[in-house]
Amino acid sequence: MKTNYYITTSIPYLNGQPHLGHALEFLMADVLARSARQNGHPTIFSTGTDEHGAKVAQAAAKHKMTPQAYCDHMSLEFKHLLKLLDISADRFIRTTDANHEKRAGLIWKALSKDIYKGKYAGWYDVKQEEFIPVGKADPARMKPDHPQAYQRLEEKNYFFKLSKYTDQIKQAITSNAFQIYPTTRRNEILSLLEEGLEDISISRPKDQLEWGITVPGDSTQVMYVWLEALINYITVLNYPEGDDFRHFWPANVQVVGKDILRFHGAIWPAMLLALDLPLPKTLYVHGFITVEGETMSKSLGNGIHPKEIINKYGLDPFRYYFLRHIPSYDDGDFSWQTFDDAYNNELANELGNAVQRTVVMIQKYQDGVIGDIPPASHDNAAIAKAIEVCKFDRALDEIWQQVRGLNQYIDEEKPWEIAGSGDKTHLQEVLSYQVSCLIEIADLLVPFLPDTAAKIKAIFSGETVKPMATTLFPKLEVAKD
Ligand code: MSP
């Protein structure tokens, strides 16, 4: 029996439409989940939506809706995106689910030895739902006319003894019991820990913010949105008594973006330590996507809904671009031009062509009969390793080496000349080797481009090649407006 595998994404706020950044994160986690399943690991892949807090309450008010009705509506938008992207998630948690709320109360109580009453006087960033640690506030945002001005808070709330866990977290990271990829992000957290963590506020007075889960035993306070959002990773497994929790925690990989590193690299591990639970094995931190070189923002109105791209090019090209051309360990850019180039050069001319040529030659020279296919012949350890360390771009680079290698093989062997010479045995060897390479490539593509992988396998699954209804990546006339 293979070991269990648990993978999570962060759970997006519902204050706006899903965008390319969310899509990127879902896709990366999807590759890990599909790869784990392909390797025979019983897998749980969880995602969901983060529904409480000031930011969502404000968005609901702007739409003149109750927070609950607004969340019911917006949560569906994220579910639709998961479907559109063919994300293989097995769980979708909403932080307004009764099960989550109930377990959040249990967890609050379990943390109570590390909770005390205090007074917070400082800045609050609604955009990030963050109490700004002393000395970290951006002076520009202290001015009320700044578009993303902080709120000034002076309120009584509950605190969590975060400071107490600084050394234990540092130790877990430096010993690699808790791995953080990439190293730049690991170093970022280590330097934060070096400065020492301060205790943090973990509730808000209800007269300041109503939209949240009531603190057990104090009906005047709601839990801080991050506190109850982070625990989604275990409430979804029915912590504490659930079988899933017992069998699947700690998570193998938690996928998050670079802006929420502090929450996942410091606050969440401290909460787990306070609960006496093991830390996740790996935290993978992806970068940010820009669009045509610009930060995505509501004011610029340049956020692209993933469906705009998918409607024009199809899903697998979308998956391909975001997994290969957005650097897995860095920020990246989407532009229509680079997308179009990748589609034409790499998908249509390289992969599509290798399949097309092979099918056509088998039809032309062998009446479609494939013959015996030799076993896969490449060493794919580097690809497995790249996936293990969440270098999706590198894994696809390696797979494309094989695609290019195959096209080169065809160019050099010139099966059409062999056919001309009448050497049927040699021709059969060459063509079935091409098929073997394509099946191997399809297997490698399963986690990345599941539909394309299935199509390639289907073409070569019988005695004779199945004619392709359409070429895999047809040439498109794409309007670029
Ligand atoms: N609700 C919190 C997460 C709570 S997890 C317990 C949150 N939500 S979010 O909607 O703002 O962001 C969700 C994910 O999308 C985060 O990992 C974030 O880094 C990612 N991205 C948001 N904008 C992004 C880009 N422009 N590019 C890539 N990812 C980005 O944070």
Side-chain angles (χ1 to χ4, degrees):
M1 194 58 178
K2 293 262 191 143
T3 48
N4 290 341
Y5 192 90
Y6 179 39
I7 167 121
T8 66
T9 68
S10 76
I11 50 172
Y13 294 124
L14 293 180
N15 62 306
Q17 286 292 325
H19 56 59
L20 296 179
H22 301 125
L24 174 76
E25 185 166 315
F26 292 148
L27 285 175
M28 289 171 155
D30 192 49
V31 171
L32 295 172
R34 286 178 186 270
S35 167
R37 291 192 202 99
Q38 189 181 26
N39 292 324
H41 296 277
T43 299
I44 295 183
F45 170 13
S46 177
T47 186
T49 43
D50 186 358
E51 308 197 356
H52 292 121
K55 177 159 151 149
V56 171
Q58 285 175 6
K62 220 174 96 194
H63 288 84
K64 300 198 167 36
M65 290 170 87
T66 63
Q68 188 64 58
Y70 174 75
C71 288
D72 290 346
H73 167 71
M74 288 304 294
S75 189
L76 285 179
E77 297 284 336
F78 281 84
K79 282 194 172 166
H80 290 153
L81 176 64
L82 294 170
K83 205 161 175 200
L84 183 72
L85 299 174
D86 196 11
I87 301 299
S88 64
D90 323 271
R91 300 280 195 283
F92 188 92
I93 182 169
R94 300 181 55 188
T95 54
T96 52
D97 288 341
N99 186 52
H100 174 78
E101 295 195 355
K102 179 185 91 185
R103 291 174 192 279
L106 295 177
I107 291 171
W108 181 282
K109 287 186 202 150
L111 290 172
S112 60
K113 66 174 191 332
D114 286 329
I115 295 178
Y116 60 94
K117 272 189 175 161
K119 191 172 163 205
Y120 180 78
W123 299 105
Y124 190 82
D125 178 357
V126 175
K127 185 163 174 261
Q128 294 287 94
E129 295 281 17
E130 185 169 14
F131 295 93
I132 307 292
V134 175
K136 302 273 175 171
D138 170 1
R141 294 177 66 188
M142 295 175 187
K143 307 211 171 73
D145 54 352
H146 189 279
Q148 284 159 3
Y150 298 132
Q151 279 179 351
R152 181 77 199 171
L153 300 187
E154 278 200 32
E155 64 188 32
K156 287 190 178 152
N157 55 36
Y158 290 92
F159 278 69
F160 171 66
K161 289 186 195 161
L162 182 62
S163 56
K164 175 176 158 186
Y165 295 100
T166 306
D167 289 338
Q168 262 178 283
I169 300 169
K170 208 189 299 173
Q171 160 65 20
I173 296 174
T174 50
S175 70
N176 281 333
F178 176 37
Q179 304 185 90
I180 301 178
Y181 301 138
T183 312
T184 44
R185 303 296 166 211
R186 180 178 185 265
N187 292 342
E188 209 175 305
I189 274 292
L190 283 172
S191 65
L192 201 73
L193 292 163
E194 214 46 62
E195 292 170 26
L197 302 170
E198 290 170 36
D199 292 353
I200 49 158
S201 288
I202 50 159
S203 70
R204 301 289 318 271
K206 264 196 198 165
D207 58 14
Q208 296 298 307
L209 174 74
E210 250 185 303
W211 181 235
I213 302 176
T214 303
V215 167
D218 184 347
S219 59
T220 69
Q221 297 262 332
V222 295
M223 295 180 195
Y224 170 43
V225 59
W226 267 104
L227 182 99
E228 52 108 347
L230 287 165
I231 59 177
N232 91 85
Y233 303 128
I234 57 175
T235 64
V236 74
L237 301 177
N238 292 325
Y239 170 80
E241 84 292 354
D243 281 348
D244 282 349
F245 177 72
R246 285 191 288 114
H247 297 308
F248 284 86
W249 189 260
N252 294 70
V253 187
Q254 301 209 263
V255 181
V256 302
K258 65 176 185 180
D259 59 326
I260 53 176
L261 172 61
R262 175 175 160 255
F263 295 97
H264 288 85
I267 300 174
W268 174 228
M271 290 168 63
L272 288 165
L273 291 169
L275 293 169
D276 249 329
L277 295 176
L279 305 191
K281 292 180 185 151
T282 301
L283 177 64
Y284 163 61
V285 187
H286 62 77
F288 260 47
I289 296 183
T290 51
V291 172
E292 310 280 355
E294 304 258 14
T295 310
M296 281 188 275
S297 83
K298 288 220 177 79
S299 50
L300 284 176
N302 64 344
I304 295 186
H305 194 291
K307 71 181 165 212
E308 285 180 54
I309 304 168
I310 294 171
N311 286 346
K312 286 183 180 168
Y313 289 92
L315 175 58
D316 274 4
F318 181 94
R319 293 179 61 110
Y320 174 80
Y321 184 86
F322 285 90
L323 292 165
R324 184 166 186 205
H325 291 286
I326 302 297
S328 308
Y329 277 15
D330 211 335
D331 296 337
D333 187 54
F334 167 83
S335 79
W336 288 103
Q337 188 59 54
T338 45
F339 192 103
D340 198 57
D341 290 346
Y343 180 90
N344 287 318
N345 301 335
E346 294 151 28
L347 291 173
N349 291 346
E350 293 181 335
L351 179 58
N353 221 5
V355 175
Q356 180 83 10
R357 296 164 95 186
T358 303
V359 169
V360 167
M361 287 191 281
I362 292 176
Q363 285 174 325
K364 186 163 168 193
Y365 305 130
Q366 297 182 166
D367 286 332
V369 177
I370 300 170
D372 289 340
I373 306 169
S377 53
H378 296 83
D379 174 5
N380 295 321
I383 299 170
K385 183 69 199 168
I387 296 176
E388 195 186 308
V389 299
C390 306
K391 285 190 181 172
F392 310 106
D393 52 353
R394 169 77 61 83
L396 282 165
D397 286 347
E398 296 275 346
I399 297 172
W400 248 255
Q401 289 292 334
Q402 291 192 25
V403 175
R404 292 205 182 110
L406 173 57
N407 278 318
Q408 200 180 347
Y409 173 84
I410 300 172
D411 293 342
E412 282 165 8
E413 287 292 329
K414 301 187 176 59
W416 48 93
E417 286 185 4
I418 307 175
S421 78
D423 186 347
K424 287 198 171 162
T425 315
H426 186 39
L427 181 63
Q428 151 68 33
E429 266 168 25
V430 170
L431 293 180
S432 61
Y433 176 72
Q434 291 175 215
V435 174
S436 163
C437 290
L438 286 171
I439 292 175
E440 188 172 358
I441 288 165
D443 271 327
L444 294 167
L445 286 177
V446 163
F448 299 89
L449 311 180
D451 184 49
T452 302
K455 279 185 180 153
I456 296 175
K457 287 187 194 186
I459 292 169
F460 302 109
S461 66
E463 301 253 299
T464 55
V465 284
K466 307 234 180 8
M468 291 193 283
T470 55
T471 41
L472 283 178
F473 303 102
K475 286 264 184 263
L476 297 176
E477 289 299 322
V478 177
K480 295 199 189 78
D481 43 84

